[in-house]
Amino acid sequence: AQSVTQLGSHVSVSEGALVLLRCNYSSSVPPYLFWYVQYPNQGLQLLLKYTSAATLVKGINGFEAEFKKSETSFHLTKPSAHMSDAAEYFCAVSFNAGGTSYGKLTFGQGTILTVHP
Amino acid sequence: DAGVIQSPRHEVTEMGQEVTLRCKPISGHDYLFWYRQTMMRGLELLIYFNNNVPIDDSGMPEDRFSAKMPNASFSTLKIQPSEPRDSAVYFCASSLVGVSYNEQFFGPGTRLTVL
């Protein structure tokens, strides 16, 4: 079975500081991995996705994530935080195989990012 | 494309009343998902459809909840009778599996308050 664990339900950084949001996954087959962002009172929006083409994936708003198979991780980073980055971030995993999980995303529990001036 | 459309955006109702939430997926997408989000339980998958057929409804909390997808462009989630603990934000999402690596596109959500 596939699963996702996000380490830290809340992360707080200063404006201009590095953002690091951690995600570890469990999957019996090569996964597809996603990061979504949810701004207050909005739906989830795709930040970036890993589909096995390249291990370092660049997304919108300056975010990137690196797929590390040996560590089963897909951590999200941004070199310099902006106030506008304050939101909740979700890591998700999927894979393209048969069975009842086909087409589903399994989401982590989310990490709320707070950015201080 | 207009994206996934949900209506209403906000719903306030009294306990015992029937509530119907609506969703229009992105045209051409073959999967549709209903999620519920609360502070306590986070994001939960309730049910999903493939080509209008329910595939997995194991996340539907009780028999009070039902979902239908009569055609490729419309789905409903119904709660009857509603209870205060059903208060949450309900999201609909759609995807084109096999083409977009299962990427899901989310609607803006319906915020339900049951008094």
Side-chain angles (χ1 to χ4, degrees), chain A residues 8-69:
Chain A
S9 58
H10 290 81
V11 170
S12 181
V13 300
S14 298
E15 193 173 19
L18 171 72
V19 175
L20 171 61
L21 305 183
R22 299 178 187 273
C23 173
N24 288 88
Y25 70 92
S26 172
S27 176
S28 56
V29 296
Y32 301 140
L33 293 159
F34 305 81
W35 277 100
Y36 282 83
V37 60
Q38 184 181 27
Y39 298 104
N41 300 314
Q42 295 187 26
L44 278 70
Q45 174 185 351
L46 183 71
L47 265 182
L48 50 80
K49 61 187 177 188
Y50 166 76
T51 60
S52 77
T55 57
L56 183 62
V57 181
K58 296 187 182 298
I60 62 172
N61 301 336
F63 284 92
E64 63 182 36
E66 185 172 9
F67 172 69
K68 292 187 176 181
K69 184 178 178 180

Side-chain angles (χ1 to χ4, degrees), chain A residues 71-91:
Chain A
E71 299 177 8
T72 61
S73 69
F74 190 57
H75 301 331
L76 182 70
T77 61
K78 182 174 181 177
S80 176
H82 295 166
M83 297 294 291
S84 60
D85 295 326
E88 187 164 15
Y89 293 79
F90 293 90
C91 183

